[in-house]
Amino acid sequence: MPRVAFVTSQALRDLTDSDRLAAAALRTRGADVIPAVWTDPAVDWGAFDQVIIRSPWDYYHHRDRFLQWLDAVDGARATVWNPTSVLRWNLDKSYLRELDVPTVPTEWIERGAAVDLGRVIQERGWGSAVVKPTVSGGATDTWITTPATAGADQARVAPILSRCGLMIQRFMPEIRDQGEWSLLFFRGRFSHAVVKRPTGGDFRVQVEHGGSTRSAAPPDALCTQAQRVVDSVGEELLYARVDGLDV
């Protein structure tokens, strides 16, 4: 019976609802699926046949520790999905700069640098922009700024830049009007897609912010671009999710 670790966080040590469904399906196929908290020093990662990254969703609060954990898992010669090289690359959203597909216009600010939000918006000619850390999850420290609010928002920037980079992106109204697409791939092949919509008046599509999710068939052009992203990684992927807008 293969031993499979589902890597999670302390807050989700009993796994998420979707994790439990996946674990149950694997158990019917003869696998011994064990929740494993990535910050637990007692876990012997080398004792598992497969280590699958599922819900260590506090990693962005502990970036350096998470990178050290990846080194430790490599040292234990564990088989990790997705590969640790992909996890390191994907940890910081600056990887978006390497993709050969259209992306949202973005001003990239390096960690430790200074930036004037109002000046960026003015020079870019944007009526509104989304500000977010390059290392984050669940829309943490993510907000919309405008020429009228940029001055007041400036104080929120320095704490982010002290720990990671910053992204200032043109706000795309499609996220409110149509929602955000998530396309799911397994072993490099497209499986299915969902549309995530924010609740009224918000722009964040995450469930914890009131967003909703429904299954849908993506436009062919969006599916083609998402496949290009997956193919460009250059490594075998157990799973992948590509988010995008139909514009």
Side-chain angles (χ1 to χ4, degrees), residues 65-97:
R65 186 177 179 183
F66 189 73
L67 290 170
Q68 292 169 3
W69 175 76
L70 293 177
D71 291 340
V73 172
D74 284 341
R77 300 186 180 277
T79 300
V80 185
W81 297 103
N82 285 321
T84 56
S85 57
V86 175
L87 297 174
R88 291 184 181 89
W89 173 72
N90 192 241
L91 182 70
D92 191 301
K93 299 181 195 303
S94 59
Y95 75 86
L96 293 169
R97 304 165 79 170

Side-chain angles (χ1 to χ4, degrees), residues 115-122 131 143 145 149-151 153-157 166 168:
V115 64
D116 185 321
L117 287 180
R119 177 174 294 179
V120 169
I121 296 173
Q122 180 181 16
V131 184
W143 73 92
T145 193
T149 62
D153 288 336
Q154 187 66 42
R156 304 172 68 177
V157 169
L166 186 76
I168 308 170

